[in-house]
Amino acid sequence: MNDTVSWAGLAVSLLLVAAAAGISWWQRLGLQRQILIAAIRALVQLLLVGAALTLVISPGQSIWWSWLWVAAMLGYAATVARRRAPEVPHLLTLALASFTAAAVVTLGVLFGLHVFPLTGRTLVPIAGMMVGNSMTATVLAGRRLTDELRDKRDEVEARLALGQPARLAATPYVRASLRAALTPQIETTKATGLVFLPGAMTGLILAGAAPLQAVLVQAVVMFLVLAATATTTTVIALGLIRRLFTPDHRLVYLPAPADR
Amino acid sequence: MDEPQLVAFEFDRVAVRRGDRRVLDEVTAQIPAAGITVISGPSGAGKTTLLRLCNRLEVPDEGTVRYRGRPLDKLDPLALRRRVGMVFQRPTPFPGTVAGNLAVAHPDAGPEEMSAALKRVALDPVLLAQEARTLSGGELQRMCLARTLVTQPETLLLDEPTSALDAQPKQVFETTARELAAQGITIIWVTHDGAQAGRVADRIYQLRDGRLTPAAGEARP
């Protein structure tokens, strides 16, 4: 790990933020303030996280601190999902359940089958990748399913009126929402390496790792994200079905966006 | 002396609220099993809500609905909905062919059973292979009726099923419904069309201000 960025280098890179702000000023976008605030906020957040991570994953530190970090990350991610899609009922608990399920599946495979050694240095970033990358799909799946059931209420109730149980009546809409949520991730996976170089790999190469080693890690991360997205979206969809239908197979009232 | 009429649905002090508004206000009435009972009344009177209570797409806030003497909440909702079929105001085709639509209602139905269901509603069985969404409005609504019939219901709930149809398909639908009633299917038909009520009803109930009352002297001769 030789080619590290110095504090002076970081300061110089602020020129790039100035460039973005300059473009905003030149084109009269009025976004200069927001660009500066975003950059400063990101820097402060990263420095804080870096300091905390240094403590948590330093050699000799108990692995439980890393697990605690992961748990906090899952909880925070659930609140972010809730904020991004307030129209989806019960999203906080559902997102928490879905991120936890994805963590069990992905961390179980990667660490249980010794793809990576279980240390704070591996656990925290991998769990972070897992949650960060499946967040969008999770929100998308929840939002799409809620919209489908609200907009196609007539069709759903026609299925219920034919005696279909709620789970079966909801199946076409669950499939549509899972497909919509998973397709972007599948497309990204297909284009990896050809169209763009993903973050983990870029970071490793910049930090001086051999490209082949970086590629192997990146491949594992992509597979991790695929599994995580599939798991989180499915848990969200099935969990939502349980909450949007009553035990006697009625669809609950879903307010239109304008009514909210 | 007249035979006592078999009762299909019985409403006992049934109330439904939407926020502060009472959509149905202590409705107490009996709907006989024989023939076609029309429920008429102005828009927003709660006719659709009353119908949706009958197959438990909604549940009342107060009171009890009974079907053939048994409270609905004591019956399995899925079994109830196969005994009490419903056709909605707007046709609700599912994606796919007409046969695919009928299969949603009865996955094991063979071609003969499906053809028979189409014939009962005056549709040509060649339509089975056709995409449901390409049918005309009148055909589509009768396909929805056929789809409900393949579950072998004893009772049909019709929620203004012809409100979007022209005169000719409307008349075909009415004739089909009369034939089904003659075959012993109980029909409860919600409409705000007084002329239609006169043509199809064996008896008419008025739903007004949240209350259901028999309307004398308006039914089919």
Side-chain angles (χ1 to χ4, degrees):
Chain A
M1 301 289 173
N2 31 25
D3 306 323
T4 48
V5 173
S6 63
W7 288 100
L10 175 69
V12 171
S13 74
L14 286 174
L15 278 175
L16 297 170
V17 178
I23 288 171
S24 164
W25 173 76
W26 173 44
Q27 289 292 321
R28 301 183 185 188
L29 305 181
L31 293 175
Q32 302 90 306
R33 213 179 122 82
Q34 288 202 44
I35 290 174
L36 283 179
I37 289 176
I40 292 168
R41 189 176 154 164
L43 185 58
V44 171
Q45 284 171 186
L46 284 172
L47 288 174
L48 285 177
V49 168
L53 270 179
T54 308
L55 281 178
V56 168
I57 67 177
S58 59
Q61 194 68 267
S62 164
I63 185 84
W64 288 107
W65 287 107
S66 297
W67 283 116
L68 190 65
W69 180 284
V70 171
M73 209 157 46
L74 297 181
Y76 182 66
T79 64
V80 173
R82 167 92 190 99
R83 236 186 1 250
R84 280 169 61 179
E87 74 273 29
V88 181
H90 310 284
L91 189 56
L92 184 68
T93 45
L94 286 174
L96 194 58
S98 73
F99 290 137
T100 307
V104 170
V105 171
T106 57
L107 303 182
V109 169
L110 292 187
F111 295 116
L113 303 179
H114 306 292
V115 178
F116 288 108
L118 177 56
T119 65
R121 182 175 280 279
T122 50
L123 174 61
V124 171
I126 281 177
M129 294 263 202
M130 187 275 290
V131 174
N133 285 289
S134 51
M135 164 84 75
T136 306
T138 306
V139 170
L140 200 62
R143 189 179 274 162
R144 174 71 187 259
L145 183 56
T146 311
D147 289 350
E148 286 265 327
L149 292 177
R150 184 189 56 242
D151 298 344
K152 298 186 178 158
R153 182 174 194 107
D154 287 358
E155 209 180 289
V156 179
E157 290 198 323
R159 291 175 190 275
L160 294 173
L162 291 168
Q164 283 200 332
R167 187 83 171 264
L168 188 59
T171 299
Y173 318 100
V174 168
R175 280 196 192 128
S177 52
L178 288 184
R179 279 207 188 98
L182 286 177
T183 306
Q185 190 55 47
I186 296 170
E187 292 303 318
T188 307
T189 308
K190 274 190 209 160
T192 301
L194 298 176
V195 182
F196 70 99
L197 296 178
M201 182 173 140
T202 313
L204 280 168
I205 292 175
L206 281 175
L212 183 64
Q213 188 55 39
V215 165
L216 292 182
V217 171
Q218 182 61 52
V220 172
V221 168
M222 298 249 43
F223 302 154
L224 158 90
V225 172
L226 261 186
T229 339
T231 310
T232 52
T233 51
T234 308
V235 172
I236 283 281
L238 298 183
L240 260 182
I241 291 306
R242 288 175 67 98
R243 284 170 171 76
L244 297 184
F245 289 90
T246 60
D248 61 347
H249 308 273
R250 286 179 292 117
L251 180 58
V252 302
Y253 172 68
L254 294 167
D259 301 349
R260 278 175 212 135
Chain B
M1 215 172 91
D2 286 346
E3 287 280 307
Q5 278 190 312
L6 196 64
V7 172
F9 284 98
E10 189 183 348
F11 300 91
D12 186 4
R13 301 167 71 87
V14 169
V16 173
R17 282 188 296 270
R18 297 258 190 287
D20 296 338
R21 197 168 78 88
R22 284 176 92 86
V23 182
L24 295 177
D25 188 15
E26 300 222 350
V27 169
T28 297
Q30 292 186 339
I31 296 185
I36 298 182
T37 303
V38 162
I39 295 173
S40 71
S43 300
K47 302 190 295 293
T48 296
T49 304
L50 190 78
L51 216 52
R52 288 164 60 85
L53 292 176
C54 293
N55 70 350
R56 231 169 122 181
L57 284 178
E58 282 188 48
V59 291
D61 294 305
E62 289 164 27
T64 311
V65 183
R66 292 189 191 86
Y67 179 60
R68 302 200 174 211
R70 297 194 59 193
L72 290 196
D73 54 9
K74 298 283 185 287
L75 295 169
D76 170 29
L78 302 182
L80 170 76
R81 289 176 190 157
R82 296 182 81 80
R83 291 170 68 191
V84 179
M86 181 155 181
V87 175
F88 295 78
Q89 183 170 6
R90 272 176 300 178
T92 49
F94 306 138
T97 61
V98 171
N101 267 263
L102 300 194
V104 170
H106 185 3
D108 304 326
E112 280 168 23
E113 203 171 336
M114 289 188 180
S115 298
L118 289 195
K119 283 182 193 154
R120 277 180 94 183
V121 300
L123 283 178
D124 189 335
V126 296
L127 293 177
L128 277 174
Q130 196 164 320
E131 278 293 311
R133 285 181 174 153
T134 64
L135 300 182
S136 71
E139 289 172 333
L140 211 47
Q141 197 58 303
R142 275 180 286 139
M143 181 206 76
C144 291
L145 180 56
R147 194 174 65 188
T148 304
L149 288 175
V150 294
T151 66
Q152 313 272 347
E154 310 155 346
T155 298
L156 279 173
L157 310 171
L158 307 179
D159 184 9
E160 307 213 28
T162 63
S163 62
L165 302 187
D166 294 332
Q168 203 270 336
K170 184 182 281 193
Q171 195 207 327
V172 176
F173 194 97
E174 288 173 4
T175 309
T176 305
R178 289 277 356 144
E179 283 166 12
L180 293 172
Q183 291 162 22
I185 295 183
T186 302
I187 294 182
I188 303 173
W189 189 322
V190 157
T191 180
H192 64 265
D193 176 348
Q196 179 173 61
R199 286 193 300 272
V200 301
D202 291 305
R203 71 199 68 79
I204 300 175
Y205 283 73
Q206 275 285 338
L207 187 60
R208 201 181 283 274
D209 304 326
R211 288 166 186 275
L212 187 67
T213 47
E218 293 175 49
R220 206 169 56 102

